Amino acid sequence: MQISMKSRLVAEFLGTLWLVFGGAGSAVLAAKVLSTDPTPVNMGIGFVGVALAFGLTVMTAAYAFGHLSGGHFNPAVTLGLAVAKRVEWAAVVPYIVAQVIGGIVGAGILYVIASGKDGFSASASGFASNGYGAHSPAGYSMLAALVVEIVLTCIFLFIILGSTDKRAPKGFAPIAIGLGLTLIHLISIPVTNTSVNPARSLATAVFTGGWALSQVWLFWVAPIIGAVIAGALYSTLTDEGIEPAVEAEARVRD
C-alpha cells in the first residue's frame, strides 16, 4: 500500500517529538533526582540512564512509525539514506522540516513541564543542549566535538543501513538501531552531550538560547558530514540501486 506524503511527514513529526521529549526529558527531569529524607541521596538515572532513554525512544518510535515513514527522525539520517539511494530526494526537505518542527514541539513540551519546578532556568541548566569547549560536559574542544560527531554519526548510519538491508535478519532493525544509539550516547555524552541528530540539537538550543544557539552549527555540520560519508560508502560497497522509497523504508519494520 502506498503511504501518502502527509502520513509520512506526520510520522516523522511524531517520532522526532518523542525522541526529543523522551531523550532530553530523561536528562532534564531524571538524570539527577535528590531525595533529602533523611539525608541527601542522588536517586537519578545518571548519564547511563540518559543514554538508554535515547536508545529506547528511537527503538519504540521506529516500531510505532517506521512502517509509515521509514523512521528517520533525524535530518542527518534522511540525507544519508538519500545518498545511499534508500529514499527519494524529493522527500528530503519535507522530512527535515517535519523533523525540526517535531523536535522543537517536543522540547517545548519538556520546557513547560520543567518550568513547573521553582528556580528552573533553561539557560542556567543547559536544558540538555549540545556544546563544546566551556559547554562540553567534560570540557572537550571544538575539534574533539567535531570528530566524535562525524565518526559516531557515520557509524550510526552504517548500523541503520545494515540492519535495514534486505539481506539482514528481518524484524530486528529497530533493536539494533536503538542499542546503537545507546552505545553512541555512552561514548559521547561527556564530549558533547551527544547529538548525532541536528533536529535534536536545534530543539533544545532554541529554549536554552545564547551559547547553545551559537554552537548549534557544529551539530548540524558534523552529523551531516558523517551521514553523507556513510551513505556514499554503503552504496558503493553494496552496489545498491535506487528502489521505491516506501518499499525501502518499510524494511525498518520487517
Side-chain angles (χ1 to χ4, degrees):
M1 182 180 69
Q2 185 74 21
I3 306 297
S4 71
M5 180 58 73
K6 179 181 177 181
S7 296
R8 293 165 68 185
L9 296 181
V10 170
E12 286 297 304
F13 168 86
L14 291 173
T16 313
L17 184 158
W18 175 232
L19 187 151
V20 172
F21 177 71
S26 69
V28 172
L29 303 176
K32 186 177 182 181
V33 180
L34 292 179
S35 171
T36 56
D37 185 22
T39 57
V41 177
N42 184 5
M43 301 175 66
I45 62 175
F47 85 87
V48 174
V50 172
L52 183 59
F54 271 101
L56 288 173
T57 58
V58 77
M59 182 180 71
T60 53
Y63 276 121
F65 306 113
H67 60 289
L68 297 174
S69 68
H72 302 184
F73 320 132
N74 182 333
V77 169
T78 297
L79 283 165
L81 293 180
V83 171
K85 303 175 184 177
R86 290 286 189 87
V87 65
E88 74 274 31
W89 280 100
V92 170
V93 172
Y95 265 46
I96 291 175
V97 171
Q99 292 156 0
V100 168
I101 296 172
I104 291 173
V105 172
I109 296 170
L110 175 60
Y111 181 83
V112 171
I113 295 169
S115 298
K117 183 176 180 179
D118 289 342
F120 171 77
S121 168
S123 59
S125 68
F127 201 56
S129 294
N130 303 114
Y132 54 83
H135 303 291
S136 159
Y140 284 86
S141 69
M142 181 177 71
L143 178 60
L146 189 69
V147 171
V148 79
E149 291 289 333
I150 290 174
V151 171
L152 291 180
T153 309
C154 184
I155 296 299
F156 188 43
L157 259 293
F158 270 110
I159 293 170
I160 292 170
L161 288 163
S163 63
T164 58
D165 193 291
K166 58 189 175 183
R167 292 157 290 193
K170 305 300 181 183
F172 296 101
I175 298 173
I177 294 166
L179 290 176
L181 190 60
T182 298
L183 177 57
I184 284 167
H185 278 77
L186 289 173
I187 295 167
S188 60
I189 283 178
V191 184
T192 62
N193 224 15
T194 309
S195 173
V196 302
N197 185 335
R200 170 264 189 271
S201 296
L202 180 61
T204 53
V206 164
F207 292 90
T208 303
W211 66 265
L213 284 174
S214 71
Q215 293 191 355
V216 77
W217 66 269
L218 185 145
F219 303 104
W220 276 80
V221 172
I224 287 172
I225 291 173
V228 168
I229 290 171
L233 281 176
Y234 196 88
S235 181
T236 300
L237 290 171
T238 60
D239 195 27
E240 288 192 340
I242 190 71
E243 56 187 312
V246 174
E247 178 184 336
E249 293 169 345
R251 287 200 302 267
V252 78
R253 75 180 193 279
D254 289 339

